Amino acid sequence: MDLQSLPRRNFITTSAAAAAALALPFSGRATGQSATSKAWPIGCHSRPFGRFRLSHDDLLDAIKAAGYKSADMVSIAPAAARGASPVAAGTAAAPAQRGRGAVPVTPEMVATLKEKLAARGMVSNVCSLSIQTGVPLADAIAAARQQITNAHTLGQKFALYLGLESEAQYIHATTVLSDAAAFGKERGVQIAIKQHHGLNNTGGELVGWVRQVNHPNFGVFHDAGNVIYYTGKDPVAQLEIVGPYMLGVVAKDCMGPHFQEREAGAPSFGSSVADPRGDEVMIQFGAGKVDFAGMFKKLKSIGFNGPTFVEGTAVGETVEQTIANARANREFLEKALASV
């Protein structure tokens, strides 16, 4: 493929084979998944421990101590390379400075993280995929391909894109994602998007992304907490829309809609204010409005057996408290899964 020859606003040509693949349920789209395989492994997102600025060793030890075998969405660059200094005694630190440039990832960083995972008998199943905007298309494609190459080296099976807010960047991003899906297919890495603020809030919008990317190696991770937080919609009902494209689950609860509330006196569309209830998504499962048992029951009915990773967890004052909370949320999910 000649990257330089790709048009800037390239609408993907629909082939009969691609169209047929997009019409298949996820069980026909997801590589290596079957109704008889071991269902629904549960991993842990690095986010609950982010404010502690842990080294890779301490982060992986914390996730393992909470009973997880998969550490997901972990930055390959170590904390020191990102300019994040660990804080004393495992206590929470002030938020890291925003606006830093991306830290270049080296092959040595990838190899070191892989060794640390293996030494603990752990894996990393899901990585974060970023799409560069404001750069030539060929550069954005090359950057995405490198992230997928790194994921393949680490043994990660999924690369999760969080979306964007600018309509002007939509065609650029979906063109990069289409190439990423094809590139990832050859390396056993599936590409996905989830509900998040911007142009990928609702189930209908996510299906639009799937159709625009137009590759059978591109699908959806369902984030029930974000469905409530950003839209106030029913995350179980939304599975009627995104179910055929499901690749995985982001486990998160939510106390109630916030960002786009349209209640009397609510802020104008697209603005956010502090909520007296606290953080509505970094909470313990069962404290919010997500019907986890209902969600898994619906997923089971359509044959889903993909990965789940825990992102939403109440962050304690110490690493030890956060480990206990992450463990409790894992046990909550295991009970919910056992009930269906």
Side-chain angles (χ1 to χ4, degrees):
M1 179 180 184
D2 183 1
L3 300 183
Q4 299 295 334
S5 68
L6 283 171
R8 181 177 178 84
R9 295 181 61 82
N10 177 41
F11 287 89
I12 308 302
T13 302
T14 303
S15 67
L22 285 172
L24 289 173
F26 66 86
S27 58
R29 295 159 55 81
T31 303
Q33 292 186 15
S34 70
T36 58
S37 64
K38 185 177 180 180
W40 301 343
I42 301 174
C44 185
H45 195 300
S46 62
R47 180 179 177 183
F49 301 98
R51 68 185 297 192
F52 301 105
R53 306 181 190 177
L54 301 177
S55 67
H56 275 156
D57 285 316
D58 290 340
L59 173 62
L60 297 181
D61 286 344
I63 291 174
K64 184 174 181 178
Y68 298 88
K69 293 184 178 180
S70 182
D72 297 322
M73 305 289 277
V74 174
S75 172
I76 294 175
R82 302 194 306 272
S85 301
V87 296
T91 56
Q97 181 180 353
R98 298 178 65 88
R100 296 180 184 272
V103 177
V105 172
T106 66
E108 292 75 20
M109 290 179 182
V110 177
T112 298
L113 179 56
K114 185 174 183 178
E115 291 172 1
K116 291 179 184 296
L117 287 163
R120 293 165 174 80
M122 299 177 69
V123 299
S124 183
N125 203 28
V126 186
C127 74
S128 177
L129 177 66
S130 64
I131 301 298
Q132 293 183 0
T133 57
V135 301
L137 182 61
D139 292 347
I141 286 176
R145 287 185 173 189
Q146 185 58 58
Q147 292 172 73
I148 294 167
T149 298
N150 293 340
H152 173 67
T153 301
L154 282 171
Q156 294 167 326
K157 303 300 182 185
F158 301 89
L160 181 59
Y161 176 59
L162 301 185
L164 51 73
E165 300 182 26
S166 171
E167 289 85 353
Q169 297 168 348
Y170 179 78
I171 298 301
H172 172 93
T174 52
T175 302
V176 176
L177 287 168
S178 183
D179 179 86
F183 188 78
K185 175 69 173 177
E186 298 172 353
R187 290 155 183 80
V189 179
Q190 295 182 275
I191 315 301
I193 190 170
K194 71 166 189 155
Q195 295 92 347
H196 206 274
H197 172 58
L199 303 179
N200 46 301
N201 274 320
T202 67
E205 288 174 333
L206 292 182
V207 172
W209 282 82
V210 171
R211 295 194 178 281
Q212 183 66 31
V213 171
N214 195 30
H215 195 284
N217 197 44
F218 182 81
V220 172
F221 267 58
H222 188 56
D223 187 329
N226 275 7
V227 171
I228 294 175
Y229 184 84
Y230 289 114
T231 73
K233 296 182 181 296
D234 179 352
V236 178
Q238 287 281 296
L239 289 172
E240 296 289 346
I241 300 173
V242 301
Y245 311 101
M246 285 279 297
L247 297 177
V249 171
V250 180
K252 190 187 295 176
D253 209 341
C254 183
M255 290 183 176
H258 176 54
F259 201 89
Q260 293 182 355
E261 282 184 328
R262 307 307 301 153
E263 301 165 352
S268 58
F269 180 86
S271 63
S272 179
V273 295
D275 193 301
R277 296 171 297 189
D279 192 322
E280 304 93 331
V281 295
M282 296 302 286
I283 59 176
Q284 291 306 100
F285 297 161
K289 297 181 180 298
V290 172
D291 177 6
F292 285 95
M295 177 178 71
F296 287 123
K297 182 178 180 180
K298 178 63 177 177
L299 288 171
K300 183 178 180 180
S301 74
I302 59 177
F304 173 78
N305 65 343
T308 295
F309 69 80
V310 174
E311 178 179 0
T313 291
V315 179
E317 291 299 318
T318 66
V319 172
E320 291 71 23
Q321 291 173 355
T322 308
I323 290 172
N325 291 341
R327 182 186 302 113
N329 274 357
R330 173 182 56 78
E331 293 170 348
F332 182 100
L333 287 187
E334 289 171 347
K335 292 177 181 178
L337 287 166
S339 72
V340 300

